[in-house]
Amino acid sequence: MIEFADRNPRFRDGEGSTGMLGRLLRALHVDGVLLAALVLVAGVGLVALYSASGENMAMVLRQATRLAIAFGALLVVAQIPPRVLYRAAPWLFWLGILLLGAVLAAGDVGKGAQRWLDLGIIRFQPSEIMKLAMPMMVAWLAFSRPLPVDLGRVAICGALIALTAVLIAAQPDLGTALLVAAAGFFALFLAGLRWRIMIGLAVLGTALTPVLWHFMHGYQRQRVLMFLNPEQDPLGAGYHIIQSKIAIGSGGLFGKGWLNGTQSQLEFLPERSTDFIFAVFAEEFGLLGLLALLATYLFIIGRGLWIAANAQDTFGRLLGGSLALTFFVYVFVNAGMVSGLLPVVGVPLPLFSYGGTAMVTLLAGFGILMSIHTHRKLISY
Amino acid sequence: MAKTWLTNPQAERALFLGRALFAVVVVLVLTGGLVAQLVALQVGQHAHYATLSDGNRMRIEPLAPTRGLIFDRNGVLLAGNEPSFTLEIVPEQVTDIPATLAALGELIEIREQDLARFNRQLLRQRRFHAVPVRFQLSDEEASAFAVNRHLFPGVDIRATLARRYPFGAIGVHAIGYMSAISEADLAQVDAARYSGTTHYGKSGVELAYESVLHGAVGFRQVETNVQGRVLRVVEYSPPTPGNDLHLTLDIEVQLAAERALGDRAGAIVALDPRNGDVLALVSRPGFDPNAFVDGIDATAYGALERNPRRPLFNRALRGRYPPGSTVKPVLALAADAFRTELARRSVWCEGYFQLPGIDRRFRDWRREGHGRVDLHRAVVESCDVYFYELSLELGIDRMHEFLTAAGFGVRTGIDLKGELAGLMPSREWKRNTMNQGWFHGETLIVGIGQGYMLSTPMQLAQTAALFANRGHAYRPRIVAPIDAAPERVAPLIPERVGDWRRTIQGMTDVVHGAAGTARAIAPRGEGAYTIAGKTGTAQVFTLAQDDDRSVDRPQLPEHLRDHALFIAFAPVESPRIAIAVIVEHGGGGSDIAAPVARTVLDAWIKRGQP
């Protein structure tokens, strides 16, 4: 069986918080600092949603309920020790692959894409499982031998990442496919993937772009083309970007104030409570509000990396690091898309955008981080 | 599995820290890029975007393209565009829309369905896009509004082009019609391409070639003041008009066919067998498509929909009728192609046929019988008894195979939407639909085109074209592509010309022979040409086959009378037209349908087109 051989002497000096709260947090296996930052962002997100939804309290309450469920998931996952996650990793991964296959074979079609699996009582997207199972699998594989990863394991990981990405992209859900692939790649990168291989992959990727283009759906090509020149199609796809830039730009340094964003309140801005909520926030709270928000996000990512660095073993370190970096990709891709820096690839702004499933997965991921952080001491004593 | 490698925890941790540090640098650089973009938008270009967002607003107005025109094969206009006035509201400029509509209603008639459509569209469109309230304002209404315009900010009259069909109901089931665009229509297309477009093709060519006729939307970006009045045009990108269409339809032939059918309900399809061109496509009664463009009112539409004669129903493509005796030439051909024993001998027809061991009598249409009948005479005089015997020899499996190859039960694939397939029954079909075995008696009645068998007029015309070409046909087309040859469909089995000789001679003698069932329509005198045809009568009301009481069919109430059918092609040696005629409840094919067909054949052949 696996020995948790990597005894880091520094884990003893974790949070020395004492008192009632500290004891409670420890008992719940929760990292108080990280939790506070997440709750802060989620709270601001609800405030922004109230404005973005046209002061629709029902929508805010629905979102609050989802957040409660998602934080519940975080708490549950935090109780699972990393060694259990380690043992479950391959099982979870292959279950996910199986379900992805099932979705392709018999999935429900929602919004023109096959993503949902209807289990009678609940409908869910198996691709969500992969957001967690993918980095777990790579970390599991990397942990089986000394680091840095050798070529054989890189090849296996690469094949698994490609398989998963193709299955998800076929649904078609390019955004999630990229996120899941990124999560796997980050774990591999942190495990010491050689620079030479990365540069080689980058060159290969550039060469394969025309091939990828060939396999893209019409609407996906549309999005890329429109990104390159949004003004070419002001009535259709480019409308999102133009209106969203107007919203952000007109917000200025200080913003127009909460509930006063004309772009969003006058319904110029499409999808303003989901993918484009960042623009609503930008219009109403200005550059200063945005900087504060981005700083909070960066703090969450930094805390995640810090937890990973202090993890007890390599599995926890790779998994935790990958989860933190993937979280950054979410924030960056969404903010980049809304501000016209990246193409429109349906990625929600974490903890802000209206919608359920992705949020539960996201916070479950933070549950893993907390588990990695808080189970260290228990083992050592 | 025991772990057999020695790990170096310090080294692994160092490796991780190195990589994580690199990642942090990348994260910070990317975030820096993001912040730079946000600073550029919110500080650098703040004034620009602030201007766009409040006070003077930028507005993007879609410019609807001009729809393509539709002409017949000789350039006669079948669907055009006429200037008309549309009353529109820009929702974001009107504070109280219901009150405004009520006030407008004092000046201009706004009907219930106008309101309903307006309200539906209001929910869908962006608030700065104009939503039409009424189409086709009269001159009086337009001037009444113009005088009071200052009372209605955000309401305007726009000069647009409205679809006009100069021939009205003539050819409506081929040309189709347009009406106000609906949610369902928009779901079929890219809604952005239809910004500003108010109407959509609903049937016929207008629907099938919507994407060709529509054209591409243009736009202009305008700067407006707070009231929405345009201050200047920032950018202008003109719309691209839709393409004109030249149909294969000949309006003269179409008119002749519509007039020949007159007030009777029925359908006519005429094809050019040499390329599949649809020369005429008639389904009567029809309706005036112009009424739909203006926004037909609910009572008038309800009347059309509830009319028992079903004017909205496209009989030519969707009407399914028993083919009756028009199926006989195909079976005669099968008799030769399969080298049947019956093809080489004759039968004695005494007015009925009995299956061995069964009492039931299958009657001939001629009660006294035809006497001695061979294949040729059986076609010419339409002897049922001969075809009962032939069916028995062929068997349903071979009949199904051959009739399917001749087009029965198969869509022709015409370039219009909504064509239905007829029905060519088989053992398998009966097992699947009725969970029953096939009976001999059912084979017999398929032999005279009755029973389960169903044909559309379109399919019968295609079968006639197949005979005209002695074994091949082209996919029917109402729009002939400029750059594509006619599309050949799979040939019928007897590719040997000799096998066609007897059947076609029989069909010719149906019209030109002394005993032919359609001898009354044979062209005579100057300009005479030859016709090969076959009459048919499809029973609507089944009289008991062995009922000995004589029933005088014309005395039945009209809706129980038989359908009259006729298929033909002409001239026999070098056919230029193939036709199918169905007159609902017309009685016998020879009396009613054949003369109608003759009129249409005359119209095309005497036009002297090559």
Side-chain angles (χ1 to χ4, degrees):
Chain A
M1 296 308 296
I2 303 301
E3 295 276 334
F4 284 78
D6 183 4
R7 303 277 156 110
N8 178 356
R10 286 187 54 193
F11 65 68
R12 282 163 216 257
D13 61 20
E15 267 77 72
S17 45
T18 47
M20 276 286 285
L21 187 63
R23 277 202 300 278
L24 178 69
L25 289 175
R26 231 179 343 231
L28 287 173
H29 293 286
V30 161
D31 174 28
V33 181
L34 187 52
L35 185 70
L38 290 171
V39 169
L40 176 66
V41 175
V44 176
L46 285 178
V47 171
L49 179 65
Y50 182 69
S51 170
S53 63
E55 306 182 28
N56 183 341
M57 203 57 206
M59 256 173 97
V60 174
L61 285 177
R62 262 202 304 278
Q63 178 79 346
T65 314
R66 288 189 191 128
L67 275 169
I69 293 171
F71 274 105
L74 180 150
L75 276 180
V76 170
V77 173
Q79 311 312 308
I80 307 171
R83 62 165 67 197
V84 175
L85 291 174
Y86 176 81
R87 283 192 204 115
W91 298 99
L92 195 64
F93 177 79
W94 290 114
L95 175 74
I97 291 284
L98 208 71
L99 291 175
L100 282 178
V103 165
L104 283 185
D108 260 17
V109 178
K111 267 194 173 177
Q114 283 186 324
R115 296 176 187 175
W116 299 88
L117 199 61
D118 199 340
L119 295 184
I121 319 161
I122 47 164
R123 296 198 319 149
F124 77 111
Q125 302 182 353
S127 52
E128 289 296 325
I129 295 183
M130 292 318 261
K131 286 181 181 169
L132 301 179
M134 187 79 245
M136 281 168 79
M137 184 69 184
V138 174
W140 183 81
L141 279 166
F143 189 41
S144 61
R145 301 208 186 169
L147 294 184
V149 281
D150 56 79
L151 248 155
R153 280 178 298 160
V154 168
I156 295 172
C157 292
L160 293 179
I161 293 172
L163 169 72
T164 313
V166 165
L167 282 175
I168 298 175
Q171 292 181 350
D173 187 353
L174 199 58
T176 308
L178 288 175
L179 283 170
V180 169
F185 169 79
F186 289 146
L188 207 50
F189 169 77
L190 293 171
L193 178 63
R194 301 240 177 269
W195 294 104
R196 260 174 295 160
I197 298 179
M198 273 187 278
I199 293 166
L201 280 177
V203 172
L204 189 72
T206 318
L208 282 181
T209 308
V211 181
L212 183 68
W213 178 259
H214 177 74
F215 284 107
M216 274 191 188
H217 280 254
Y219 77 93
Q220 291 165 338
R221 290 186 187 179
Q222 180 79 12
R223 280 180 178 178
V224 175
L225 284 181
M226 187 263 305
F227 160 66
L228 296 174
N229 181 15
E231 280 76 17
Q232 77 172 14
D233 189 13
L235 294 173
Y239 183 85
H240 282 52
I241 289 299
I242 293 174
Q243 294 302 334
S244 138
K245 278 166 98 171
I246 293 177
I248 298 175
S250 64
L253 201 54
F254 301 103
K256 297 174 185 171
W258 190 47
L259 302 180
N260 284 329
T262 49
Q263 279 289 307
S264 21
Q265 299 304 322
L266 291 178
E267 307 185 5
F268 275 93
L269 189 64
E271 296 188 41
R272 54 193 179 283
S273 20
T274 53
D275 286 359
F276 281 79
I277 194 167
F278 185 80
V280 177
F281 186 82
E283 184 181 21
E284 299 189 348
F285 297 94
L287 185 62
L288 294 182
L290 282 183
L291 289 179
L293 180 66
L294 287 177
T296 317
Y297 275 129
L298 282 184
F299 176 79
I300 292 172
I301 295 154
R303 181 74 184 176
L305 285 174
W306 183 83
I307 288 175
N310 290 303
Q312 191 150 26
D313 60 55
T314 300
F315 175 74
R317 232 170 6 232
L318 299 184
L319 179 56
S322 162
L323 290 172
L325 290 179
T326 313
F327 182 74
F328 171 72
V329 172
Y330 267 98
V331 177
F332 183 74
V333 169
N334 180 273
M337 151 182 109
V338 174
S339 56
L341 217 51
L342 295 174
V344 180
V345 277
V347 170
L349 185 64
L351 299 169
F352 253 67
S353 288
Y354 184 73
T357 328
M359 203 154 52
V360 173
T361 323
L362 189 88
L363 285 181
F366 280 105
I368 292 179
L369 268 171
M370 295 193 177
S371 156
I372 291 170
H373 188 54
T374 56
H375 283 86
R376 299 175 303 164
K377 297 162 184 154
L378 300 181
I379 300 161
S380 75
Y381 290 134
Chain B
M1 191 185 80
K3 191 160 178 178
T4 50
W5 292 277
L6 284 175
T7 54
N8 181 344
Q10 294 307 324
E12 292 205 349
R13 185 153 191 274
L15 171 76
F16 177 87
L17 287 178
R19 289 299 171 104
L21 200 64
F22 179 82
V24 166
V25 171
V26 172
V27 163
L28 289 178
V29 167
L30 289 176
T31 309
L34 183 63
V35 169
Q37 167 80 352
L38 293 173
V39 169
L41 287 175
Q42 299 198 292
V43 180
Q45 296 160 276
H46 171 65
H48 170 66
Y49 285 116
T51 316
L52 291 188
S53 123
D54 47 55
N56 289 344
R57 285 205 189 115
M58 276 308 182
R59 205 165 73 186
I60 292 158
E61 291 181 340
L63 303 171
T66 307
R67 195 174 177 84
L69 308 176
I70 302 178
F71 301 97
D72 91 333
R73 65 188 298 128
N74 297 312
V76 179
L77 185 73
L78 302 180
N81 302 317
E82 268 182 11
S84 93
F85 295 114
T86 302
L87 187 71
E88 291 182 335
I89 288 183
V90 179
E92 72 167 354
Q93 294 165 15
V94 177
T95 39
D96 188 349
I97 288 177
T100 306
L101 285 172
L104 279 172
E106 305 280 308
L107 296 172
I108 290 165
E109 189 195 358
I110 299 172
R111 296 161 301 181
E112 197 91 345
Q113 70 268 21
D114 292 326
L115 276 180
R117 196 208 53 248
F118 174 83
N119 285 325
R120 273 198 307 276
Q121 218 168 333
L122 191 62
L123 293 175
R124 182 172 59 74
Q125 284 197 347
R126 295 188 182 122
R127 297 188 51 78
F128 56 87
H129 280 177
V131 181
V133 181
R134 254 289 307 278
F135 300 111
Q136 305 273 335
L137 296 188
S138 67
D139 289 347
E140 293 77 41
E141 287 173 322
S143 45
F145 175 78
V147 172
N148 294 291
R149 167 181 257 149
H150 62 281
L151 299 175
F152 298 100
V155 184
D156 218 335
I157 282 186
R158 196 161 55 96
T160 55
L161 292 172
R163 205 59 158 174
R164 274 285 152 229
Y165 302 95
F167 287 92
I170 299 296
V172 65
H173 285 291
I175 302 162
Y177 68 95
M178 300 192 69
S179 69
I181 196 161
S182 72
E183 292 291 304
D185 299 332
L186 278 172
Q188 302 295 311
V189 294
D190 179 354
R193 308 269 166 271
Y194 276 74
S195 329
T197 299
T198 52
H199 285 69
Y200 194 85
K202 299 287 162 135
S203 73
V205 172
E206 293 275 31
L207 170 63
Y209 287 91
E210 170 68 38
S211 60
V212 178
L213 291 164
H214 178 255
V217 66
F219 67 90
R220 58 175 197 165
Q221 195 169 13
V222 294
E223 200 180 319
T224 62
N225 65 10
V226 185
Q227 281 77 43
R229 198 144 305 282
V230 174
L231 298 178
R232 77 192 167 97
V233 177
V234 181
E235 206 187 333
Y236 175 73
S237 158
T240 315
N243 289 316
D244 295 347
L245 283 180
H246 288 263
L247 305 189
T248 60
L249 211 70
D250 186 322
I251 193 66
E252 292 301 325
V253 179
Q254 180 81 21
L255 274 168
E258 302 245 7
R259 286 191 193 119
L261 211 47
D263 287 338
R264 286 174 295 225
I268 301 172
V269 176
L271 301 173
D272 187 332
R274 295 165 297 180
N275 48 27
D277 282 0
V278 176
L279 302 173
L281 192 147
V282 179
S283 172
R284 283 182 79 91
F287 57 92
D288 182 7
N290 293 309
F292 283 86
V293 179
D294 306 346
I296 188 167
D297 69 73
T299 45
Y301 184 75
L304 276 177
E305 223 178 14
R306 282 190 303 274
N307 186 330
R309 288 161 58 85
R310 304 177 70 192
L312 296 173
F313 179 55
N314 189 338
R315 290 167 164 80
L317 297 184
R318 299 176 65 82
R320 299 162 99 221
Y321 308 87
S325 301
T326 57
V327 80
K328 286 175 181 168
V330 187
L331 291 172
L333 189 65
D336 271 333
F338 285 119
R339 306 276 177 268
T340 57
E341 184 252 341
L342 197 68
R344 292 191 301 276
R345 68 172 174 92
S346 53
V347 303
W348 181 261
C349 167
E350 52 185 331
Y352 63 89
F353 180 80
Q354 267 180 307
L355 281 168
I358 298 175
D359 283 342
R360 177 175 170 186
R361 286 179 170 190
F362 291 87
R363 296 165 47 118
D364 196 282
W365 65 273
R366 186 185 284 173
R367 299 177 51 79
E368 64 274 22
H370 297 267
R372 185 143 298 280
V373 177
D374 64 358
L375 185 144
H376 175 261
R377 212 177 142 204
V379 172
V380 176
E381 297 182 20
S382 200
C383 170
D384 290 339
V385 169
Y386 182 91
F387 283 98
Y388 291 144
E389 282 213 27
L390 177 60
S391 305
L392 217 53
E393 187 183 346
L394 283 170
I396 184 62
D397 299 328
R398 287 202 288 183
M399 287 166 75
H400 175 261
E401 178 197 346
F402 198 84
L403 286 166
T404 303
F408 285 85
V410 183
R411 283 188 194 88
T412 65
I414 186 179
D415 52 343
L416 290 176
K417 296 195 176 168
E419 182 192 12
L420 289 182
L423 175 60
M424 182 60 232
S426 65
R427 286 180 207 278
E428 196 190 357
W429 168 83
K430 197 175 174 205
R431 207 168 31 246
N432 291 342
T433 51
M434 305 188 183
N435 201 19
Q436 252 182 16
W438 186 267
F439 302 123
H440 278 311
E442 291 167 341
T443 309
L444 295 192
I445 55 173
V446 167
I448 58 163
Q450 299 283 355
Y452 305 117
M453 236 185 136
L454 294 172
S455 285
T456 64
M458 188 70 231
Q459 176 252 305
L460 285 175
Q462 178 73 339
T463 301
L466 199 68
F467 272 73
N469 291 337
R470 277 73 163 169
H472 70 267
Y474 297 94
R475 194 162 77 95
R477 56 190 199 178
I478 198 155
V479 175
I482 300 161
D483 51 352
E487 190 183 322
R488 239 176 121 126
V489 295
L492 193 56
I493 302 152
E495 287 168 24
R496 282 179 27 197
V497 178
D499 290 338
W500 290 89
R501 196 179 41 79
R502 281 212 296 172
T503 304
I504 294 207
Q505 187 58 51
M507 289 177 78
T508 309
D509 288 342
V510 164
V511 179
H512 298 278
T517 49
R519 58 187 178 275
I521 68 159
R524 287 173 229 287
E526 201 185 334
Y529 57 95
T530 50
I531 302 173
K534 184 68 195 80
T535 55
T537 304
Q539 288 181 1
V540 177
F541 172 65
T542 311
L543 292 171
Q545 287 281 358
D546 49 3
D547 189 343
D548 268 346
R549 284 170 298 159
S550 66
V551 175
D552 203 353
R553 287 195 162 253
Q555 283 176 3
L556 283 168
E558 192 193 335
H559 70 278
L560 294 181
R561 269 183 231 159
D562 297 340
H563 298 320
L565 288 87
F566 191 66
I567 63 169
F569 61 89
V572 176
E573 288 319 313
S574 55
R576 278 148 52 192
I577 180 169
I579 190 173
V581 175
I582 286 186
V583 183
E584 284 185 9
H585 311 300
S590 42
D591 303 333
I592 307 296
V596 170
R598 167 74 200 279
T599 316
V600 182
L601 299 179
D602 275 358
W604 176 243
I605 285 177
K606 299 216 165 134
R607 244 173 116 72
Q609 296 225 358

